[in-house]
Amino acid sequence: MYEAQQPPPRRPPPPSGSNAPPGAGGRPPPPAPNGGGGRPPPPRPPGTGGGGSSSSGAPPRVPLPSSRFFDENHLPSVLHRPDPMTPEAERQARRRTCRFIEEAGQRSLRLPRVAVATATVFFHRFYARHAFQKHDRFEVAMACLLLAGKTEESPKKLDLVIRECWKLRRRAQQQQQKLTGQQGGESPSLAGASPTAIPSPPSASSGGDVQIDPKSEEYVRLKERVLLLERVILHTIGFELSVDHPYKFLVDCVQGMNKKRLLEYAKPPLGKDGNPLPKGAQNNQMVQELAQNAMNFANDSMHASLCLQYAAGEIAMACVYLSGKYSGIRPVGGRPWIELLDRISVEDLTSISMQILELVQPRKGMETEMAFKTIRKDLDEMTGRSVAPDAKRQKTN
């Protein structure tokens, strides 16, 4: 396409020692070493990357989000020696750092929601190939925010990213020190389990300033590490900078269900006068409530490794389901939710929903606890209905 629009560029000369044909770049090929005649070069071993796109020492690319071979027991941090992490500690490290990315990205750096979500996906993909014990997760978070801002066309200066992230981390450490002093002993650190414990910065003495001196050697070293980590992240994710998020899929799903009139309130909402709202007002409120709660569940899903396990569209379907159950919205005619959701199985819906509930449930109150119990019961019933035919078929065979 480009050759038809502009004159072809000059062909660069091939590097020395290449097997380019005669006439390429206007020079003949060099003679074969040791009189090797026409012996072809040895075949490239598999996995080293043909076409010169990556060197043999480049790290392998992360699996596609739709991969079903994700196993947290085989993550680098869990297999790391001599100080392996437990799967639970690895999950906690991810969750705490994702909350840090969300706080720094939205409140401190004023990044768009999509940019923060992209930074979170970069973070998850990075630690699918690297161990927490090898890289400071807060420095990786800074690099992810820096790279995501550029990717989503909301770039932030490196100095600003370092200052704001440092300030946020330092404040959290001061609060943790106060909490430890009030309890009169040790408390869970900001970094979580001991394999991921990050020592306080040298300049961050107790009760000190939350700002980092831009002229200090520590600032210069941190700046160099973040820039280096940005390049490491790019190689780790295979330069795949285009990331799909659940947001657009769940909005399309809600709008499609609304156009087909597939949903209704289990209990019609009441107006200020105590009477049920008109149908039009009910429909508008239902769509807004369903979409907003689905967005909230999608934001919560970013704190887990779901983006490594499932496609964004599948996560979106689970968020719409959770939103409907949480908001008291049901399919018309008593149909099950799984019939309204596209491109997702009962097993995947159950797995995604349970992982999101595990994230959200500890932060909710008693009323929400009852709603979550109802959701769990419905998931168990759906799973039983989907497993029953298979079990019956096995008995028949």
Side-chain angles (χ1 to χ4, degrees), residues 187-335:
S187 62
S189 66
L190 181 66
S194 58
T196 62
I198 306 297
S200 298
S203 62
S205 58
S206 59
D209 193 3
V210 296
Q211 299 286 353
I212 184 173
D213 184 6
K215 298 181 180 179
S216 63
E217 295 183 2
E218 184 178 4
Y219 179 86
V220 174
R221 289 195 301 268
L222 179 59
K223 189 174 182 178
E224 293 175 352
R225 288 197 301 268
V226 172
L227 288 174
L228 175 61
L229 281 170
E230 184 184 25
R231 295 194 294 270
V232 175
I233 292 169
L234 280 170
H235 284 278
T236 301
I237 65 178
F239 293 87
E240 291 288 344
L241 299 177
S242 178
V243 179
D244 286 332
H245 296 299
Y247 306 115
K248 62 179 181 180
F249 296 101
L250 66 86
V251 170
D252 293 341
C253 178
V254 171
Q255 290 178 348
M257 291 180 180
N258 180 49
K259 289 180 180 179
K260 298 178 181 179
R261 304 299 185 192
L262 298 177
L263 301 174
E264 64 181 3
Y265 273 113
K267 294 181 180 179
L270 303 179
K272 296 181 179 180
D273 56 358
N275 297 322
L277 292 174
K279 289 293 184 180
Q282 282 189 33
N283 184 71
N284 293 336
Q285 179 176 327
M286 180 180 64
V287 172
Q288 182 178 2
E289 187 175 4
L290 183 65
Q292 183 59 57
N293 287 330
M295 288 281 188
N296 294 338
F297 281 116
N299 292 338
D300 292 324
S301 72
M302 294 294 174
H303 296 180
S305 58
L306 286 169
C307 62
L308 303 177
Q309 307 172 50
Y310 300 97
E314 295 173 315
I315 299 174
M317 295 302 104
C319 292
V320 172
Y321 164 76
L322 290 173
S323 176
K325 298 295 292 185
Y326 180 74
S327 305
I329 300 172
R330 65 187 181 187
V332 175
R335 298 171 61 187

Side-chain angles (χ1 to χ4, degrees), residues 105 109-112 114-120 122 141-157 161 230 241:
L109 298 174
R110 306 289 183 179
L111 285 171
V114 174
V116 177
T118 299
T120 306
F122 289 163
M142 295 182 198
C144 289
L145 286 167
L146 181 68
L147 180 59
K150 301 174 185 177
T151 303
E152 301 298 340
E153 299 182 356
S154 302
K156 299 295 180 180
K157 292 183 178 181
V161 173
E230 184 184 25
L241 299 177

Side-chain angles (χ1 to χ4, degrees), residues 28-262:
N34 301 327
R39 178 180 298 178
R44 185 185 299 271
T48 58
S53 60
S54 62
S55 62
S56 59
R61 295 170 65 175
V62 296
L64 294 176
S66 59
S67 174
R68 291 299 184 270
F69 300 101
F70 178 84
D71 184 2
E72 62 179 5
N73 292 312
H74 290 80
L75 290 172
S77 302
V78 179
L79 299 178
H80 187 268
R81 295 294 182 270
D83 53 346
M85 297 175 65
T86 64
E88 175 62 25
E90 206 272 352
R91 288 196 299 270
Q92 290 297 327
R94 286 181 183 269
R95 294 174 187 177
R96 290 192 175 101
T97 317
C98 287
R99 286 197 291 268
F100 174 83
I101 292 175
E102 185 174 14
E103 183 79 11
Q106 284 196 286
R107 298 191 180 183
S108 301
L109 298 174
R110 306 289 183 179
L111 285 171
R113 179 67 227 183
V114 174
V116 177
T118 299
T120 306
V121 172
F122 289 163
F123 175 82
H124 284 302
R125 291 183 178 180
F126 179 84
Y127 280 112
R129 291 295 183 185
H130 299 275
F132 281 100
Q133 297 90 330
K134 292 290 186 179
H135 301 277
D136 185 321
R137 58 194 177 95
F138 293 101
E139 293 176 0
V140 173
M142 295 182 198
C144 289
L145 286 167
L146 181 68
L147 180 59
K150 301 174 185 177
T151 303
E152 301 298 340
E153 299 182 356
S154 302
K156 299 295 180 180
K157 292 183 178 181
L158 175 59
D159 293 339
L160 178 63
V161 173
I162 292 178
R163 288 199 309 269
E164 294 299 327
C165 290
W166 175 280
K167 186 189 306 180
L168 179 63
R169 182 182 175 188
R170 177 61 188 136
R171 286 174 178 171
Q173 289 171 339
Q174 289 179 348
Q175 294 176 358
Q176 194 67 37
Q177 291 172 359
K178 292 180 180 179
L179 180 62
T180 304
Q182 292 175 358
Q183 293 178 348
E186 295 184 357
S187 62
S189 66
L190 181 66
S194 58
T196 62
I198 306 297
S200 298
S203 62
S205 58
S206 59
D209 193 3
V210 296
Q211 299 286 353
I212 184 173
D213 184 6
K215 298 181 180 179
S216 63
E217 295 183 2
E218 184 178 4
Y219 179 86
V220 174
R221 289 195 301 268
L222 179 59
K223 189 174 182 178
E224 293 175 352
R225 288 197 301 268
V226 172
L227 288 174
L228 175 61
L229 281 170
E230 184 184 25
R231 295 194 294 270
V232 175
I233 292 169
L234 280 170
H235 284 278
T236 301
I237 65 178
F239 293 87
E240 291 288 344
L241 299 177
S242 178
V243 179
D244 286 332
H245 296 299
Y247 306 115
K248 62 179 181 180
F249 296 101
L250 66 86
V251 170
D252 293 341
C253 178
V254 171
Q255 290 178 348
M257 291 180 180
N258 180 49
K259 289 180 180 179
K260 298 178 181 179
R261 304 299 185 192
L262 298 177

Side-chain angles (χ1 to χ4, degrees), residues 324-387:
K325 298 295 292 185
Y326 180 74
S327 305
I329 300 172
R330 65 187 181 187
V332 175
R335 298 171 61 187
W337 269 99
I338 194 64
E339 294 183 6
L340 275 62
L341 303 174
D342 298 330
R343 304 181 301 274
I344 190 169
S345 64
V346 174
E347 291 77 13
D348 292 343
L349 175 63
T350 302
S351 175
I352 298 172
S353 300
M354 295 300 289
Q355 292 185 60
I356 295 177
L357 290 179
E358 183 182 354
L359 288 168
V360 177
Q361 193 165 352
R363 307 198 304 266
K364 303 298 182 180
M366 183 62 65
E367 182 178 352
T368 305
E369 178 70 21
M370 297 300 296
F372 288 166
K373 286 183 178 180
T374 304
I375 295 174
R376 290 175 181 270
K377 181 179 179 182
D378 186 62
L379 290 171
D380 291 340
E381 292 176 355
M382 277 197 298
T383 305
R385 286 194 299 266
S386 66
V387 172

